Amino acid sequence: MNAQISFLDGTFRLIHIPLHLYPNFLQPILQILLPQGGDDSLAHEAEGLSIDNKHGFLNISVTPVECSVVCHSNWVRNVFEPVIKRLPPSLSKTVTISKDDYLILSVIAAGMDAGSRVMDLTSPLALAGVPIFFITTYYSDFILVPSKDRQTVVQVLLARNFEFDKDESAYVSPSAMSHIRGKSQSSEPPSTPPPSNVAELQVRTFELLKKRNVVPYICPYLSLVQCSGRDPSQLVDYIRRPTLSRHPSGNGHHRRSWLDNVDTKLYTSLISVLAKQPRFLSITLAQEDPPSLLLDREYLGVFGDSLVGDTEGDLVPIFLDLVNLPLEATGIVSGVAGKLIQEMGMDETGISSELSYLSTARAGAVILSSKQAMKALEVLKPLLSKE
């Protein structure tokens, strides 16, 4: 596998919002989705934006389990925390923000199917005792790791033959990833020694899930598509269109805003869907990629031609409600994905190319085609049954 892995700038935090409080947080969600970087009154939040007012990384996910937000730590502090403080104590305590700051790894991998990427990228970190969150998007994979574990992550990459490329500011593997586990040390060793191999990792994962009463399930009639907004270069004619205002700015030039660099039709559609509290919508914004969406296919009509990709897809998520697990739990992604690949013969059948994963603040979703999702559920249920 040829892979390039880089740390995104900044630190990030995860927010869990119970669904019954979603209406209370719609305004801050829209505020971070639509960043007014040119507004001096919001300068303290703009630290989480690039020079052209783009998010380095943002994920907003509304699922049948929760509303989850991953955003820059400044946006958490300046946008979400004031809303939480205004809630009655009985409600505010149900909203959780990760105690740790997280770093985000951006992964660009060629020549490897989705399921294998999940395994090869997450297993080494789990074996090193690093808790992670994993988000597959239309273009890239993103891995969230605690900022305190950065050195351990670097050691894991170096042990698997990655080299730091100064020109790319990224760790690059010019050849297939080594499957030899290298030694790594963390500044804060995990309370329980990490597993020594993938098989032990899978056993521990399912023991933990069973102990915490995690039951996998599929929501009836929920079908997803994974797609993307259009590349900004495709919007160049629209972006360069001159203003028709009869009241030009004082210097005679059109004052540019972040709206000049985005597809306003896409963002209007997003606002429309978010205002309805969708059954399922996950939007990821990353500085280097067009917007990536995983959404309930019933909302496709709202977006019209603002989306590209396989809009005929039929993906089904298998949900794992992890509310009873601590955020620092390790091995969930690689343990579950690895077991499915092993039990369903995905490597031999090529079904591994279908598997993707979405981590949210207090849940996980294994995403497969509708046919394979039903088979995967039948694999997982006996493994997590206490009978």
Side-chain angles (χ1 to χ4, degrees):
M1 180 185 81
N2 292 322
Q4 178 175 302
I5 300 178
S6 57
F7 286 95
L8 300 185
D9 291 336
T11 61
F12 300 80
R13 299 180 78 181
L14 297 97
I15 307 171
H16 160 74
I17 301 169
L19 291 176
H20 68 277
L21 291 181
Y22 176 84
N24 300 73
F25 287 87
L26 181 58
Q27 185 274 329
I29 287 172
L30 294 180
Q31 183 175 340
I32 63 171
L33 179 65
L34 312 173
Q36 302 296 312
D39 187 343
D40 292 338
S41 67
L42 298 179
H44 53 288
E45 289 126 9
E47 185 179 331
L49 302 176
S50 65
I51 194 171
D52 54 355
N53 296 327
K54 291 183 178 180
H55 281 285
F57 184 87
L58 171 69
N59 175 265
I60 300 168
S61 295
V62 185
T63 76
V65 180
E66 64 177 336
C67 174
S68 170
V69 178
V70 180
C71 64
H72 194 280
S73 301
N74 276 351
W75 293 87
V76 174
R77 183 167 50 252
N78 296 310
V79 177
F80 284 95
E81 287 186 355
V83 177
I84 296 172
K85 290 177 181 177
R86 291 195 295 267
L87 292 172
S90 61
L91 297 179
S92 63
K93 68 181 181 181
T94 65
V95 181
T96 58
I97 298 174
S98 61
K99 295 179 181 179
D100 292 331
D101 284 332
Y102 282 77
L103 302 174
I104 295 183
L105 299 173
S106 172
V107 182
I108 301 174
M112 197 172 198
D113 60 54
S116 298
R117 287 202 313 272
V118 173
M119 279 298 299
D120 273 20
L121 295 171
T122 62
S123 294
L125 295 173
L127 291 172
V130 178
I132 70 161
F133 292 83
F134 193 93
I135 299 175
T136 302
T137 73
Y138 189 81
Y139 294 98
S140 309
D141 296 311
F142 295 94
I143 303 174
L144 282 69
V145 298
S147 56
K148 62 184 177 62
D149 289 327
R150 178 179 182 129
Q151 189 56 40
T152 301
V153 173
V154 170
Q155 290 174 348
V156 168
L157 293 176
L158 295 177
R160 295 180 70 83
N161 298 330
F162 279 80
E163 297 178 356
F164 186 73
D165 187 323
K166 292 182 179 179
D167 293 333
E168 298 289 343
S169 296
Y171 292 87
V172 178
S173 173
S175 58
M177 292 180 73
S178 169
H179 286 269
I180 299 175
R181 181 176 178 239
K183 294 182 179 179
S184 60
Q185 296 181 357
S186 171
S187 56
E188 293 186 27
S191 56
T192 301
S196 59
N197 54 56
V198 172
E200 184 183 345
L201 171 66
Q202 292 178 6
V203 171
R204 286 197 189 184
T205 296
F206 282 91
E207 286 179 348
L208 175 61
L209 294 176
K210 185 184 296 187
K211 180 180 179 181
R212 298 302 179 96
N213 299 311
V214 175
V215 178
Y217 67 94
I218 288 175
C219 289
Y221 310 112
L222 178 60
S223 175
L224 309 180
V225 293
Q226 186 156 50
C227 45
S228 165
R230 291 178 289 174
D231 190 286
S233 63
Q234 300 175 12
L235 309 173
V236 64
D237 292 337
Y238 175 81
I239 291 172
R240 292 178 177 175
R241 191 169 58 197
T243 179
L244 301 178
S245 172
R246 297 186 182 186
H247 304 283
S249 55
N251 59 12
H253 298 287
H254 169 55
R255 178 178 293 177
R256 296 184 62 82
S257 81
W258 73 278
L259 282 169
D260 292 314
N261 299 309
V262 300
D263 183 352
T264 52
K265 183 174 183 179
L266 173 68
Y267 277 80
T268 303
S269 302
L270 282 171
I271 295 170
S272 174
V273 172
L274 286 169
K276 298 175 182 177
Q277 187 167 341
R279 192 180 183 196
F280 193 107
L281 170 66
S282 180
I283 168 74
T284 301
L285 303 181
Q287 187 175 340
E288 300 299 327
D289 297 336
S292 178
L293 288 83
L294 182 65
L295 76 156
D296 187 337
R297 61 179 304 108
E298 76 173 46
Y299 298 118
L300 279 175
V302 178
F303 290 87
D305 62 359
S306 63
L307 296 179
V308 297
D310 183 14
T311 56
E312 299 299 320
D314 181 19
L315 302 175
V316 171
I318 302 173
F319 293 104
L320 300 169
D321 188 340
L322 307 177
V323 68
N324 293 324
L325 270 67
L327 286 178
E328 61 270 18
T330 61
I332 305 300
V333 179
S334 56
V336 172
K339 194 65 174 178
L340 287 176
I341 290 174
Q342 175 185 318
E343 294 294 327
M344 297 177 66
M346 289 183 173
D347 281 338
E348 292 78 15
T349 61
I351 299 171
S352 180
S353 62
E354 299 180 1
L355 186 147
S356 59
Y357 197 94
L358 173 67
S359 294
T360 55
R362 306 305 296 270
V366 178
I367 301 163
L368 290 159
S369 68
S370 56
K371 179 180 178 180
Q372 297 304 327
M374 297 305 298
K375 293 181 180 178
L377 187 62
E378 294 306 311
V379 170
L380 292 175
K381 277 185 173 180
L383 294 171
L384 293 173
S385 172
K386 288 191 173 183
E387 296 180 0

